[in-house]
Amino acid sequence: MNAVEIRGLSHRYGAGPTALTVLHDLDLTIPAGEIVLLTGPSGSGKTTLLTLIGALRAVQTGSCRVLGIELSKADERTRVALRRRIGFIFQHHNLLSFLTARENVAMALELDPDLDEAERLTRAEAMLQAVGLADKVDAYPAVLSGGQRQRVAIARALVHEPGLILADEPTAALDSKTGHETMALLQHLAKERGRTVFIVTHDPRIHDIADRIVAMEDGQLVQPATH
Amino acid sequence: MNELAPLARASPVLATAPAAAIQPPPAPGFRLPFRLAWRQLRHEPARLAAALSGVVFATLLIFMQIGFKNALFDSAVLVQNSLQADLFLMHRNTEALWRSASFPRARLAQALALPEVERVTPLYVANVPWRNPETGLNRTLLLFGVDPTARLLGFHGLDDAAWHAITRPDTILFDERGKPEFGPIRSLLAQGSFFGELNRKRVEVVGSFGLGATFSSESNAIASETTFWRIASGRNPAQVDVGAIVLKPGANVATTKRALQALLPDDVMVFTRAELAQFERDYWAKVAPVGFIFGLGVAIGLVVGCVIVYQILFSDISRHLGEYATLKAMGYTNGYLARVVMSAAFILAVLGFIPGFMLSLGLYEIATAQIFIPLHMTIPRASFVFGLILVMCVVSGLIAIRKLRDADPADMFR
Ligand SMILES: Nc1ncnc2c1ncn2[C@@H]1O[C@H](COP(=O)(O)OP(=O)(O)OP(=O)(O)O)[C@@H](O)[C@H]1O
Ligand SMILES: [Mg+2]
């Protein structure tokens, strides 16, 4: 069972003579439960690939199956529905400033009509406990440290039991020690729960959390440097 | 297999759906978006207060404009509403009582031919200058000429003694609620009747009544027909301004009106009393710019409120664009976020209207007690203004919502 199956995926920005092709006929498979890191020079198309997998952009050419859903020719409704089964971790935590840590995490559960408020809060609290923030459930993001905020963001990305977790430079705003701790925590939680994780990163210090490292150059996947 | 967990929970729906399909996002209710909007608003009390002050201002302005407008329009038809008759004749060219075109008195005699008509009374009106007995300055008032025995005018304080007093020639009754520029009528009358100058003719003021300044006149006076003709020299006694018709008891007003219309030539219009009042209201609402000015006041209140609420909602979206985009990435729909914005608009409408309503209530009482402009808070009026405020906030919200399109979840990744 593969979480992601990409065949012949190409993507370009713009149209006409100024069009810029950033992904060239790409193939990639991520089996369920694997943690995959994507590295590569700036501008090589990593983020573009991640937003396509995350159903945040329309697929132009090729096939892109995510969690069993074909995204080529998928309409906005399908993409929105798929996003609900993905956990996103951003470079910046992107927490809602007017909500407490627990309310922020519970936001990932408010789209599920089968859950009631008590269940949402219990699960949010349990998830915050799992990321080591049991004493910060009622804190607003403004009073949390950068590492704590990113851990709240991880809790939010995991709490709704997503089939796939996508992260783009999740350590960029953190110092290297905190960055590694946070990713080790993500690895631990993902492995514990059997989650699939796809991380775009420049940070060589977090290579050790990966099951597999893929490298990208000029819109094509290349053989990664051995590590 | 874990990634199938969310699907498994949705299996009853999925079972009936095609294999490749995915459960469509269920339509969001209003409860959770509303709560999110409220949490966002209350997180910054200072901004909330600023937004609310805009709504309070609009509410207050609209209540005062509508209050004053209605007070003026009520005053404009005080005369019409106090006329003690069932049907009325006016010349086809008449636009309003104070500038009426007169019609031949013979029309009244013709009306008497109908068996339902009990009696007819002509009413004459003229704008004539009154010389303030203290300052000697002239100011125009509205003079009514009417048969004192007809008891046609039902103004406050018009008793038998007053009507009887003006049966003597060259006597008038004076409006004690008119503008003070006409002189201290009440205190002068306290020492008995006094002489004054109306249209440069000497008249004796023998009594008073209470009508007050209206749209069309700053004060008023009543005289008998003969006195009227002498004061308003040049007026032809055979030309009447208003013909008041009293019907026999039990006569049907509507059918008699139709009979009169058929009987009389086209130079006169026939009104019931309610129609007469409405005719006068319509004149002030349409012909005179007064209605327009008050409408403008209401519009300004709405526009200012709209702009303030829009500014707040728009900048709330702009400042939280990243957060909205994050929510979209998490699978929140545009519709859900639109509901958040509309909920915020609704909250602002309700929370701003309540203090605005209370303040208006206070100002209404002050106006009624201190400056004698009776302003009445009624449930229909309060509901109407709340409706306007709600529409104002909804429109602001609908415009602000367009900004949500700028929240692109793909932008959250670089
Ligand atoms: N929205 C866009 N419109 C037009 N061009 C874009 C857009 N987003 C990215 N690009 C271009 O596409 C190419 C790939 O960008 P992408 O963001 O995928 O690179 P990246 O590998 O994530 O780089 P980095 O490591 O710097 O984040 C770049 O040349 C970039 O300028
Ligand atoms: Mg990037």
Side-chain angles (χ1 to χ4, degrees):
Chain A
M1 185 69 204
N2 292 323
V4 179
E5 275 174 17
I6 293 172
R7 295 286 167 268
L9 182 69
S10 296
H11 194 86
R12 52 180 193 167
Y13 289 111
T18 59
L20 175 69
T21 305
V22 294
L23 297 182
H24 301 278
D25 195 18
L26 210 121
D27 294 343
L28 174 67
T29 304
I30 304 176
E34 210 179 39
I35 298 181
V36 176
L37 243 65
L38 178 64
T39 61
S42 185
S44 55
K46 306 182 297 292
T47 298
T48 307
L49 177 60
L50 181 119
T51 53
L52 285 169
I53 296 173
L56 300 169
R57 257 183 229 293
V59 171
Q60 294 168 347
T61 322
S63 155
C64 180
R65 280 183 86 81
V66 177
L67 303 178
I69 305 299
E70 176 56 65
L71 283 175
S72 135
K73 301 194 185 71
D75 60 4
E76 174 72 10
R77 279 167 70 84
T78 309
R79 284 191 278 138
V80 168
L82 176 62
R83 279 183 228 154
R84 297 181 180 188
R85 300 167 55 205
I86 297 175
F88 289 96
I89 300 171
F90 307 84
Q91 177 173 344
H92 300 283
H93 56 85
N94 286 0
L95 298 175
L96 274 62
S97 59
F98 54 90
L99 296 183
T100 63
R102 179 174 33 201
E103 289 164 353
N104 262 294
V105 175
M107 282 305 288
L109 299 171
E110 287 197 0
L111 289 167
D112 188 337
D114 296 339
L115 295 181
D116 60 23
E117 179 72 3
E119 222 171 326
R120 282 195 289 264
L121 293 181
T122 316
R123 276 176 67 175
E125 219 167 312
M127 203 61 232
L128 281 170
Q129 196 167 3
V131 298
L133 290 175
D135 54 335
K136 298 287 182 198
V137 288
D138 288 318
Y140 285 94
V143 302
L144 296 176
S145 73
Q148 288 171 333
R149 287 177 202 166
Q150 200 57 310
R151 277 190 278 162
V152 177
I154 289 173
R156 180 175 65 179
L158 286 168
V159 72
H160 57 304
E161 297 170 8
L164 175 65
I165 291 150
L166 297 177
D168 194 357
E169 312 279 7
T171 59
L174 305 175
D175 64 68
S176 61
K177 182 169 167 288
T178 317
H180 187 265
E181 276 172 11
T182 317
M183 286 303 105
L185 174 70
L186 174 62
Q187 180 202 28
H188 168 73
L189 294 172
K191 282 297 168 198
E192 195 178 66
R193 292 162 170 77
R195 303 265 172 263
T196 315
V197 183
F198 183 66
I199 303 175
V200 167
T201 185
H202 275 122
D203 190 348
R205 274 170 300 244
I206 65 169
H207 283 188
D208 61 320
I209 69 157
D211 296 326
R212 183 154 66 103
I213 297 179
V214 200
M216 195 168 200
E217 241 167 65
D218 287 333
Q220 276 163 327
L221 294 180
V222 294
Q223 215 50 35
T226 47
H227 70 283
Chain B
M1 280 318 286
N2 251 296
E3 70 269 23
L4 286 179
L7 267 181
R9 263 182 298 159
S11 55
V13 177
L14 207 75
T16 57
I22 190 164
Q23 184 191 14
F30 256 103
R31 200 175 61 82
L32 292 176
F34 183 90
R35 187 177 71 175
L36 195 63
W38 169 236
R39 284 175 172 172
Q40 184 176 348
L41 284 175
R42 72 156 184 212
H43 190 67
E44 288 170 290
R47 285 179 63 81
L48 178 60
L52 290 184
S53 66
V55 181
V56 170
F57 169 77
T59 307
L60 210 56
L61 193 56
I62 294 169
F63 265 124
M64 293 325 284
Q65 294 289 331
I66 291 183
F68 280 124
K69 180 184 141 189
N70 275 286
L72 274 181
F73 278 83
D74 286 346
S75 84
V77 293
L78 271 181
V79 173
Q80 283 76 4
N81 281 335
S82 77
L83 293 177
Q84 305 294 307
D86 304 302
L87 288 173
F88 301 89
L89 305 182
M90 284 207 295
H91 193 277
R92 172 110 3 231
N93 294 341
T94 294
E95 287 188 311
L97 182 64
W98 68 280
R99 50 181 302 190
S100 59
S102 50
F103 63 89
R105 192 170 179 149
R107 299 281 169 272
L108 287 176
Q110 286 172 278
L112 274 175
L114 284 184
E116 294 92 337
V117 174
E118 167 113 4
R119 59 193 156 85
V120 295
T121 310
L123 175 67
Y124 303 85
V125 294
N127 299 287
V128 287
W130 162 259
R131 187 169 182 268
N132 184 325
E134 292 221 315
T135 63
L137 294 175
N138 276 315
R139 216 172 170 90
T140 301
L141 55 66
L142 192 64
L143 177 66
F144 295 92
V146 67
D147 174 7
T149 65
R151 302 286 193 269
L152 175 64
L153 304 175
F155 304 154
H156 178 262
L158 279 180
D159 51 17
D160 286 350
W163 284 119
H164 183 75
I166 55 166
T167 52
R168 263 195 306 127
D170 299 337
T171 58
I172 63 166
L173 300 172
F174 212 98
D175 187 352
E176 61 177 27
R177 292 188 191 164
K179 288 261 177 80
E181 284 84 350
F182 289 85
I185 307 302
R186 201 194 291 252
S187 58
L188 285 171
L189 271 174
Q191 296 142 40
S193 65
F194 64 97
F195 287 94
E197 219 176 83
L198 193 56
N199 205 15
R200 292 199 296 284
K201 313 240 169 28
R202 194 175 139 91
V203 291
E204 186 181 0
V205 180
V206 293
S208 70
F209 61 95
L211 181 59
T214 68
F215 259 143
S216 49
S217 64
E218 295 184 321
S219 191
N220 307 279
I222 304 173
S224 68
E225 289 174 295
T226 28
T227 308
F228 178 89
W229 291 326
R230 197 182 66 82
I231 294 169
S233 50
R235 277 297 298 265
N236 180 353
Q239 291 285 319
V240 180
D241 293 306
V242 180
I245 298 170
V246 177
L247 302 184
K248 294 215 172 95
N252 185 305
V253 177
T255 50
T256 315
K257 180 191 160 188
R258 277 195 295 276
L260 272 174
Q261 276 168 329
L263 178 74
L264 298 175
D266 266 352
D267 62 345
V268 289
M269 303 181 280
V270 188
F271 295 108
T272 65
R273 189 165 65 185
E275 289 165 354
L276 188 72
Q278 193 55 48
F279 183 79
E280 191 83 5
R281 259 178 201 278
D282 290 348
Y283 169 79
W284 291 109
K286 286 175 200 149
V287 179
V290 188
F292 169 75
I293 286 166
F294 282 108
L296 201 64
V298 171
I300 287 172
L302 285 175
V303 167
V304 170
C306 232
V307 168
I308 294 177
V309 172
Y310 168 75
Q311 283 288 340
I312 294 285
L313 293 177
F314 180 87
S315 65
D316 269 349
I317 298 175
S318 304
R319 290 178 332 132
H320 295 283
L321 210 56
E323 297 173 1
Y324 280 114
T326 305
L327 289 176
K328 280 192 185 176
M330 289 165 65
Y332 282 82
T333 56
N334 255 321
Y336 190 102
L337 300 182
R339 280 164 204 241
V340 175
V341 176
M342 293 319 288
S343 298
F346 179 76
I347 293 171
L348 292 181
V350 173
L351 290 191
F353 177 79
I354 294 170
F357 172 78
M358 309 277 233
L359 281 173
S360 304
L361 215 56
L363 284 184
Y364 271 29
E365 277 183 15
I366 290 174
T368 308
Q370 305 293 320
I371 55 176
F372 305 110
I373 298 180
L375 301 181
H376 308 291
M377 186 63 79
T378 61
I379 291 174
R381 180 176 298 179
S383 329
F384 174 70
V385 174
F386 178 67
L388 283 181
I389 294 294
L390 198 59
V391 167
M392 173 186 96
C393 288
V394 165
V395 167
S396 312
L398 287 176
I399 306 174
I401 274 176
R402 293 184 310 169
K403 181 71 183 164
L404 280 177
R405 278 188 246 262
D406 293 352
D408 182 354
D411 287 346
M412 291 294 96
F413 295 99
R414 287 275 168 226

